[in-house]
Amino acid sequence: MMPSYFFAHGAPSLVLEEHAYTNLLKEFAAGKPKPKAIVIFSAHWEESVQTVSSVDQYSTIYDFGGFQDELYRMTYPAPGERSLSEQIRSLFTKQGIKSKPDEERGLDHGAWAVLKLIYPDADIPVVALSVNRYLSNEQQYEIGKALSELREQDVLIIGSGGTVHNLRSVNWRAQGVDEWAGAFDNWLQSKLEAWDTDSLFHYEELAPYARMAVPTSEHFIPLLIAMGTGDANRKAKLLHRSYQYGNLSLSCWQFD
């Protein structure tokens, strides 16, 4: 069964950077079986109804401003997979989750910046999915759980977001890590490794500095969805954690 993953996508410039986290992403595929397809939830695609892309080939969305010119010349023309999109919608229907198709939207930077580092050839079919910040945390988990059987079909499921993502608090010149960011991620690590869903579903009330770390939930949601896909085995492993600008977390979680 193919593991699922959560990847932090940091700033859009991540794809141009050279450090321990980008090295992990660039080396991620080495020695691993090539997935038949990739299903990716991006924090930067929000819809009120669970939306499933259904395209033949993706355009590239530049949903950011003020970054290096090189970023706006990058493309990630991955193919879609309409049959997988239909299968995903069927799995959602079985679990009472409403969904709709989208036949136009390209890949936003939450998806393509990560995928370009891991699979730069853009030769693996991709199905992109939206997130909805107005669902409960338990509902987010159930969305992932509904797709868990895809892992038995060599489909790689990815959640792309950030565990500590407060752009109003970043310090572009910081050298160290803010204490509050580390405290939140340490709490999160302990609950993920213990598979303590009761605490995770109420992280807003229980986790230290939760409002600082997660001022809005769209970047946290992909973690809960990725975790939900591993409900059968309930094994979480932290592969990497570092920070940029004092508190912007770069983390990678594996769910077996």
Side-chain angles (χ1 to χ4, degrees):
M1 182 179 292
M2 184 166 287
S4 297
Y5 295 88
F6 169 82
F7 292 108
H9 58 249
S13 55
L14 181 76
V15 72
L16 298 177
E17 297 167 0
E18 293 283 346
H19 45 67
Y21 184 59
T22 56
N23 288 341
L24 177 142
L25 295 177
K26 292 174 183 177
E27 297 168 4
F28 177 83
K32 293 184 177 67
K34 187 174 182 178
K36 183 179 72 173
I38 299 169
V39 170
I40 186 164
F41 291 83
S42 170
H44 291 277
W45 186 10
E46 293 190 65
E47 297 282 352
S48 59
V49 175
Q50 180 62 62
T51 309
V52 182
S53 65
S54 182
V55 302
D56 294 318
Q57 188 176 56
Y58 287 95
S59 59
T60 304
I61 301 174
Y62 307 102
D63 52 334
F64 47 82
F67 288 88
Q68 300 95 318
D69 291 343
E70 185 179 352
L71 282 176
Y72 302 93
R73 296 192 295 269
M74 286 187 171
T75 60
Y76 195 80
E81 181 58 76
R82 290 181 185 269
S83 61
L84 178 58
S85 299
E86 293 173 2
Q87 181 184 1
I88 289 169
R89 293 197 64 209
S90 177
L91 292 172
F92 283 149
T93 298
K94 289 179 182 179
Q95 298 303 317
I97 299 169
K98 294 182 179 180
S99 67
K100 64 179 182 179
D102 185 292
E103 298 184 348
E104 297 181 357
R105 196 177 191 275
L107 294 176
D108 59 64
H109 82 270
W112 68 259
V114 169
L115 294 178
K116 194 170 183 69
L117 288 168
I118 301 174
Y119 298 109
D121 294 334
D123 59 350
I124 301 173
V126 173
V127 176
L129 290 97
S130 67
V131 299
N132 179 359
R133 72 172 78 181
Y134 299 106
L135 299 179
S136 70
N137 293 323
E138 185 171 6
Q139 286 174 308
Q140 312 291 0
Y141 185 92
E142 291 296 323
I143 287 171
K145 188 176 177 180
L147 302 183
S148 59
E149 69 180 66
L150 296 178
R151 298 171 56 204
E152 301 175 4
Q153 302 168 27
D154 297 325
V155 174
L156 174 61
I157 303 175
I158 294 173
S160 176
T163 58
V164 180
H165 192 274
N166 186 338
L167 297 184
R168 292 186 177 182
S169 296
V170 297
N171 179 352
W172 299 100
R173 298 181 180 180
Q175 298 298 315
V177 179
D178 292 340
E179 182 179 353
W180 62 267
F184 177 82
D185 267 343
N186 287 338
W187 181 92
L188 183 62
Q189 179 177 351
S190 69
K191 302 309 178 186
L192 286 167
E193 291 176 344
W195 212 273
D196 183 354
T197 53
D198 287 342
S199 293
L200 288 166
F201 293 162
H202 299 91
Y203 77 89
E204 298 100 324
E205 296 85 27
L206 300 177
Y209 306 104
R211 291 186 180 181
M212 285 284 289
V214 189
T216 56
S217 63
E218 74 282 350
H219 277 78
F220 195 83
I221 289 167
L223 175 69
L224 295 173
I225 293 173
M227 184 187 187
T229 69
D231 182 76
N233 294 327
R234 300 195 164 200
K235 294 180 180 179
K237 182 179 180 181
L238 180 63
L239 302 184
H240 179 92
R241 190 172 86 190
S242 59
Y243 298 87
Q244 292 180 305
Y245 318 123
N247 52 64
L248 183 63
S249 66
L250 299 177
S251 58
C252 174
W253 280 93
Q254 175 177 309
F255 301 103
D256 291 317

